[in-house]
Amino acid sequence: MQVTDLPPQASLPDWLRAVIKPPAAASRRRRVTVEAVDGVNVRVDGDTLLNFAGNDYLGLAGDRALRDAATAGIERWGVGGAASHLLSGHTRAHEAAEAHAAAWLGFERALLFSSGYLANLAAVTALAGRGATLYADRLNHACLNDAARLSGARLRRYQHGDLDTLEQWLAADTSPQKWVLTDAVFSMDGDIARLDRLLDLCRRHDAMLLVDDAHGFGVLGDGRGSLHEPAFARHVFASGGADPRVILMVTLGKAAGAAGALLLGAGPVIEAVVQRGRSYIYTTALPPLLAEAAVAALGRLADAECADRRHRLLAKASEVRQSLGRAGLACGLAGAAAEHASGSPALPATPIVPVIVGPDAGAVEAMAALRRAGLWVPAIRPPTVPAGTARLRVSLSAGHSEQDTDRLITALKELFCNG
Ligand SMILES: Cc1ncc(COP(=O)(O)O)c(C=O)c1O
């Protein structure tokens, strides 16, 4: 029965009607149904659109090696996850993905999850108790904030990138358990956290550092993610393996083209997440076919062909940012990376390029205009971004040709520079 078919006597309570009242049109979220995908082209409502709305940065989501691994995985394991890890859901395929990731990324141990959201929840709630204080960048992803709230620990959010304030707070904090939580690449701005300084602060103030590298993994640091960027690697991996103060979360559903996520850290720390992480314990395991695909994805990320894609992607990202910047468009916080670069190896421009519009309605109108021009660039509004900074979030992929990015740049200039 459709909701609209409900007989009058079955109508919803008035109080619930008030609770579920839809937001105003300019802030309402809408799902778009994709009918078909062909690389960076998608069909929506019968129209073919050039997709700048995904996170398939290297074009691996449709990759032959991943498809073959998933198909072989279905033949071997079937479709479902069948059980949680601590019952009978943990297979050799999960073990292989974890061992491969830990060795490649330089951590003692890795734990595979069905999503990054669950991985962050498990890490923070298992490791940060009520007596802990969590310090978090204001622009961190929602799931780190949710994890912090769920943990019951004290949460203090510092202004984006304001490490001087963070240092003062850490220095004044006498509580025994301190954590710093940060995105590595900020998902709506595309800038990179100063992971070297953050780790230094954690060392000096006896804090732990949780790094969410959902958008850097596969793209930065030779594919191994932000921590492996030369500007950071010499700090994080000074003694060979990762500093045990660091816990890393990487997602497999973005640049890796697969699904799920990995949490990496020192062996005893990861074991504590197995023992106490409720979003690890009380959920069905990622289907083993996807663990097989994850192993294939890790292999692809390390190969020469992906290195070439990465190289082209980062060059393209830098060109697009520069071109839009020259046209006077506000592309957000790219300057943070440039500032950081002084005195240490430079950081690349990431494939996330925001075009800040301001009012919610303006961003929604711009998205609609681009859609009419055959381009899919999502409008991102509060509360996902701070009030007054609604924006278009351009997400580039190695699959975009020069012609594709030229089309995007021309359309954005027409929209914002000819008015
Ligand atoms: C920065 C960041 N962290 C975590 C997540 C959650 O990862 P997942 O989609 O695998 O749940 C996302 C996006 O979805 C993200 O952008």
Side-chain angles (χ1 to χ4, degrees), residues 55 57 113-120 139-144 182-188 212-216 249-254 259-262 352 393:
N55 298 314
Y57 299 117
F113 284 80
S114 346
S115 78
Y117 197 115
L118 292 180
N120 278 341
L139 294 191
N140 278 351
H141 190 260
C143 64
L144 274 180
T182 189
D183 283 13
V185 174
F186 290 89
S187 56
M188 297 300 143
D212 175 336
D213 202 18
H215 297 276
M249 196 285 288
V250 301
T251 53
L252 297 168
K254 296 182 168 64
L262 288 151
I352 301 169
R393 177 185 186 267

Side-chain angles (χ1 to χ4, degrees), residues 44-408:
V44 173
D45 287 339
D47 296 331
T48 298
L49 303 177
L50 192 50
N51 188 6
F52 291 98
N55 298 314
D56 182 16
Y57 299 117
L58 296 176
L60 285 182
D63 190 70
R64 187 74 264 158
L66 273 70
R67 285 176 196 257
D68 288 348
T71 309
I74 289 193
E75 291 308 321
R76 180 164 178 200
W77 304 103
V79 175
S84 62
H85 282 277
L86 298 187
L87 293 181
S88 60
H90 189 69
T91 66
R92 278 192 183 280
H94 298 94
E95 279 287 315
E98 291 175 352
H100 189 134
W104 190 44
L105 300 183
F107 283 78
E108 257 176 43
R109 189 170 169 197
L111 198 62
L112 187 57
F113 284 80
S114 346
S115 78
Y117 197 115
L118 292 180
N120 278 341
L121 279 195
V124 179
T125 58
L127 301 171
R130 284 193 183 276
T133 307
L134 309 175
Y135 297 93
D137 190 293
R138 273 209 173 269
L139 294 191
N140 278 351
H141 190 260
C143 64
L144 274 180
N145 295 334
D146 293 354
R149 291 194 187 97
L150 193 60
S151 73
R154 178 170 174 241
L155 172 63
R156 295 193 78 183
R157 297 168 77 201
Y158 52 91
Q159 290 300 327
H160 180 53
D162 182 0
L163 303 194
D164 294 335
T165 297
L166 173 62
E167 177 154 29
Q168 286 167 18
W169 287 356
L170 284 168
D173 185 349
T174 52
S175 70
Q177 302 176 34
K178 286 174 270 205
W179 286 83
V180 175
L181 316 179
T182 189
D183 283 13
V185 174
F186 290 89
S187 56
M188 297 300 143
D189 291 272
D191 61 322
I192 304 172
R194 296 176 222 179
L195 298 170
D196 51 346
R197 280 196 62 197
L198 284 166
L199 179 56
D200 182 52
L201 286 180
C202 288
R203 284 181 181 145
R204 283 196 281 123
H205 297 284
D206 198 22
M208 290 287 293
L209 177 64
L210 172 56
V211 176
D212 175 336
D213 202 18
H215 297 276
F217 182 62
V219 173
L220 302 178
D222 293 333
R224 288 179 288 172
S226 305
L227 293 175
H228 285 271
E229 274 296 314
F232 306 138
R234 59 199 173 139
H235 299 271
V236 180
F237 302 96
S239 53
D243 186 314
R245 276 186 197 280
V246 180
I247 298 179
L248 171 67
M249 196 285 288
V250 301
T251 53
L252 297 168
K254 296 182 168 64
L262 288 151
L263 191 70
L264 300 107
V269 175
I270 297 299
E271 180 57 25
V273 178
V274 174
Q275 298 300 324
R276 303 217 292 266
R278 296 172 67 85
S279 62
Y280 182 73
I281 298 167
Y282 297 110
T283 189
T284 301
L286 179 79
L289 80 95
L290 293 173
E292 301 277 10
V295 174
L298 294 171
R300 284 291 274 122
L301 288 178
D303 75 18
E305 204 262 333
C306 268
D308 186 49
R309 288 190 194 190
R310 201 156 33 240
H311 186 71
R312 281 187 283 118
L313 173 66
L314 295 178
K316 191 168 9 209
S318 168
E319 280 160 28
V320 169
R321 258 183 197 277
Q322 281 175 20
S323 179
L324 295 178
R326 274 197 303 274
L329 274 72
C331 291
L333 303 161
E339 176 212 323
H340 172 68
S342 60
S344 63
L347 291 167
T350 71
I352 301 169
V353 186
V355 178
I356 314 290
V357 179
D360 296 5
V364 173
E365 280 159 23
M367 177 180 174
L370 292 171
R371 159 90 207 253
R372 289 192 290 278
L375 305 171
W376 188 0
V377 186
I380 311 288
R381 293 155 290 166
T384 306
V385 292
T389 71
R391 66 197 62 189
L392 296 168
R393 177 185 186 267
V394 174
S395 177
L396 299 167
S397 163
H400 289 126
S401 65
E402 201 175 322
Q403 204 185 358
D404 294 338
T405 46
D406 283 350
R407 248 179 92 189
L408 170 79

